Amino acid sequence: MMITTLILASLLAAFVPFVSSRPERIVRQAIVASTIVLALGLLAGVPPLFGSPPVAWAGLWYVDAFSGLLVVLISVVQWTATLTSRPFLLEELREEVVSLPLVRRYYALLALFVTAMLVTVVSDNLGFLWVALEATTLATTFLVAFYARPSSLEAAWKYLIICSTGLALGFVGLVLVSAAATHAGAMSALTGLRWSALHVAAHDFSPSMMKIAFAFALVGFGTKVGLVPMHTWLPDAHSSAPAPISALLSGVLLNAALFTVLRYKALTDAALGGGAYTDGLLLAFGVLTLVVAAAFILTQTDYKRLLAYSSAEHMGFVALSLGLGPVGAVAAVIELIGHALAKSMLFFGAGNILVRFRSTKFSRVAGVHRVLPYTGGLFFAGILMLLAVPPSPLFMSEYLAIAAGIRAHPLAIMAALGAFVVILSGFIRLVTPFLFAPVPEGGAAHPVARGESWNLSHTAMLLHLVLLVGFFLLVLSGTALPFIERVTAIIS
Amino acid sequence: MAPSLTPLLILAALLLGSAFLLSSRLRLRSLVGLFQFQAFLLVAYLAWSAVLLREAPLASIAVFVFVLKGLVMPSLLLRVARQTGASERLATYVRPALLSFIAMAAIVAAAAAASALPFDDNVFFITVSFSLILIGFELLITHKNLFGQSVGFLVLENGIFFLGLVIARTLPVLVEFGVLFDLLALLVLATALIRRVQRTHASVATDYLQALNDL
């Protein structure tokens, strides 16, 4: 019941922007609606993490520890993204970059996007899960094209066509699972396409059919995860959308898409009697994604695209970790949480920087730390978190994955370590002048005013930083291990 | 007398033929017209399957496909083309003769892939569905304009829809409706984007959508 209430509340939030006609009031009401979604999300998502049995309702919803974790992450990041949207949109309204109808559309689509993500991660029915994941694409296409610039239109078109084509291929995976279930006599009016029921019966499914089904699911849904070579939409879409939307796209949508892949992995592993086949594929795609993303990070000229490629890199790392067995799966869970918080924090900061400098090019932005002291400081802390510098939880995940894989898959781990070195070099080369060099004379797109006052985006960034450090301490002290193990048991 | 399977084979063969013809059409009206014809073939296939299997839900899906793919989607595409003043002639990256050759290669590849799958009774039908998917891909990749790419995606989706019909007839009806509704929403969004692109660049050629590139 709590899940249904959460979904309905999130859906209703899409209508809130049309209640009022004053921007300030629209923004305030959106924050209230988002806070309600956060509260309901925590109530729905936290209990399964701490040992409550999975919640199933009417064959529609199924919330186990993994779903619960993603519900919590989506709820938190949508809330901080809505908080960050306030200063961001009000500033853009003042500068007449956006209009009141656009602000309304922004909040309505944001709420629909969050609803679609929530439905994706709580759906028991694989068919509804597919529909919800496709709905995330449909809801965000106009958010990617929000500014109607030529580059935004290009990004939105690629996003729509490439992701929809990928999801269409993912649907072939669904069709094959359905056929495998029918052949095994497990498909009935009662079970339908319910993942929880299929998972119980999957050991009777045709292994050859499930192998093909997983290959389609990995390539299809992997497109939405941003795995190379299906990633080409990701840097364009994530860099073209308004910053709080980029935060959601990078921070939690990729996780929701990965969740779908892992639902198919669980079925395939059950049918094959082990995870060797799916682990091998995930490992291969993971290494390829890491290495290719690292190469693009080194040569970036745009800071939002840098963050977008970094998201692809982290998803590659999660895929690689998932291919390393149970210890790798622990690393993957820590990485998913850490990346969601760190990357969304950085996109919030990127939004502030873009509003002040009016450019996303490294060549036109420098000295952020001097011009925007709060944003610069928090952005720097976020970069350290992203680069796995302790006390970042990503340090733990990367250490664990390397330790887990160095004996069994030395080549893959060496490739990953090589990619990390390249990524570290790329970030140091690009971000050091960006944050600390003197403000360029005439290099900026326009005269840049110095100084800023503390606003909601800084509060959101600080909250993410506190959560990251807190999570690191919880993992270090072992307090977080029980819930991590519960999630790991589902995905490995 | 029990209904015969032969009409299904004929309809599948016609689907394959329509897909092959689609691959080399370079006029928008002709491309959309062939897509519409393909939709009607799917409707006929669904209707006959409903009779053969005595499954009423298949008939309801047939009605929905007829309305959406047979009527709404083609008219939406043509109306947007008319309103935006888009060129009737569709440019491609390769010559028409080569397009037909690629389509033929796609059909051969589809037959090889279908025979490798564990569905011995349905090899021909699966060949048809894989051919539609691959020819849809061909249109997506070789067409230099947004209309051609949109039709390519719709043909690819027809192939997946047909595959679902052939090997997983039991896909719940609600899911099928959800998928079709998603497809309609996607096409509405795509046409809205096409309008914006036409307004911005006075063209729907993909040449204008190649600025975001890291290479």
Side-chain angles (χ1 to χ4, degrees), chain B residues 11 23-24 27 36 39 45-46 49-50 54 69 78 99 106 117 124-125 127 147 170 176 189 193 197 203 212 215:
Chain B
L11 287 168
S23 68
S24 57
R27 300 192 75 79
Q36 191 170 31
Y45 189 97
L46 273 162
S49 298
R54 296 172 187 217
K69 292 188 174 179
L78 290 176
L99 288 171
L117 285 179
F124 176 66
F125 293 104
T127 301
F147 283 107
T170 45
E176 295 278 15
L189 277 179
L193 278 177
V197 170
S203 166
L212 296 170
L215 293 173

Side-chain angles (χ1 to χ4, degrees), chain A residues 32-239:
Chain A
V32 172
S34 165
T35 308
I36 293 169
V37 171
L38 169 70
L40 291 170
L42 292 178
L43 285 172
V46 168
L49 280 175
F50 289 93
S52 298
V55 180
W57 190 76
L60 280 178
W61 317 134
Y62 182 79
V63 183
D64 54 19
F66 189 29
S67 304
L69 172 66
L70 292 184
V71 167
V72 169
L73 278 179
I74 292 167
S75 304
V76 170
V77 179
Q78 66 83 28
W79 184 63
T80 48
T82 310
L83 291 183
T84 305
S85 298
R86 183 183 184 276
F88 185 77
L89 283 179
L90 291 180
E91 180 71 23
E92 295 210 317
L93 262 173
R94 241 190 318 276
E95 295 193 4
E96 296 181 352
V97 178
V98 297
S99 58
L100 183 64
L102 266 182
V103 171
R104 279 209 179 104
R105 190 188 298 172
Y106 173 92
Y107 280 115
L109 289 173
L110 169 60
L112 290 177
F113 174 33
V114 171
T115 308
M117 275 195 292
L118 287 170
V119 174
T120 301
V121 300
V122 300
S123 276
D124 193 10
N125 187 304
L126 288 178
F128 294 148
L129 189 159
W130 185 91
V131 171
L133 196 58
E134 176 68 26
T136 62
T137 310
L138 302 179
T140 44
T141 296
F142 271 114
L143 288 170
V144 173
F146 188 67
Y147 296 113
R149 296 181 190 122
S151 60
S152 317
L153 291 177
E154 178 185 343
W157 182 260
K158 284 185 190 168
Y159 176 57
L160 183 67
I161 292 296
I162 297 174
C163 282
S164 298
T165 304
L167 292 183
L169 293 180
F171 194 78
V172 176
L174 172 66
V175 166
L176 287 165
V177 167
S178 168
T182 307
H183 280 237
M187 193 79 165
S188 70
L190 281 177
T191 57
L193 285 170
R194 277 171 50 209
W195 180 83
S196 54
L198 293 173
H199 192 220
V200 173
H203 56 272
D204 289 331
F205 293 2
S206 153
S208 58
M209 224 185 278
M210 288 305 293
K211 275 186 178 178
I212 303 167
F214 181 72
F216 271 105
L218 181 59
V219 170
F221 301 121
T223 304
K224 192 100 181 174
V225 179
L227 296 179
V228 173
M230 301 85 70
H231 69 290
T232 48
W233 63 273
L234 189 149
D236 299 347
H238 288 206
S239 60

Side-chain angles (χ1 to χ4, degrees), chain B residues 10 20 28 40 87 119 141 163 189:
Chain B
I10 295 171
F20 180 73
L28 180 61
F40 292 145
S87 166
F119 296 101
I141 294 165
L163 184 72
L189 277 179

